[in-house]
Amino acid sequence: TIVAGGHGKGSASNQFNVPTDVVFDKATNSLIVCDAHNQRIMRWSRAVGTNTGEVLMTNISCFGIAQDKY
């Protein structure tokens, strides 16, 4: 089952370009994805009917992410 992306390689809000890491955020029931070649961190809700992501950070060099309790 595709839960994020799935629309080919690109930079639109429903696409990734070399996603390198993902964490699950229990508080928001979402996936946080490091999208390396688009230089951004995105949040994808797992709610039914969601088909685009929300950009949390941009213009960053990212290859991995981590989450703590805060």
Side-chain angles (χ1 to χ4, degrees):
T1 302
I2 296 172
V3 295
H7 299 279
K9 182 177 169 179
S11 61
S13 64
N14 64 353
Q15 296 176 301
F16 294 120
N17 190 359
V18 187
T20 57
D21 204 3
V22 63
V23 296
F24 177 68
D25 184 357
K26 290 181 186 178
T28 63
N29 189 30
S30 61
L31 301 172
I32 310 295
V33 180
C34 173
D35 188 11
H37 283 194
N38 283 323
Q39 297 183 322
R40 64 188 180 184
I41 303 291
M42 297 188 73
R43 176 179 17 225
W44 286 71
S45 172
R46 294 184 62 230
V48 174
T50 301
N51 61 6
T52 60
E54 168 192 10
V55 177
L56 298 179
M57 298 177 78
T58 189
N59 272 345
I60 60 169
S61 294
C62 64
F63 292 97
I65 53 177
Q67 180 179 10
D68 63 17
K69 66 181 183 178
Y70 302 106

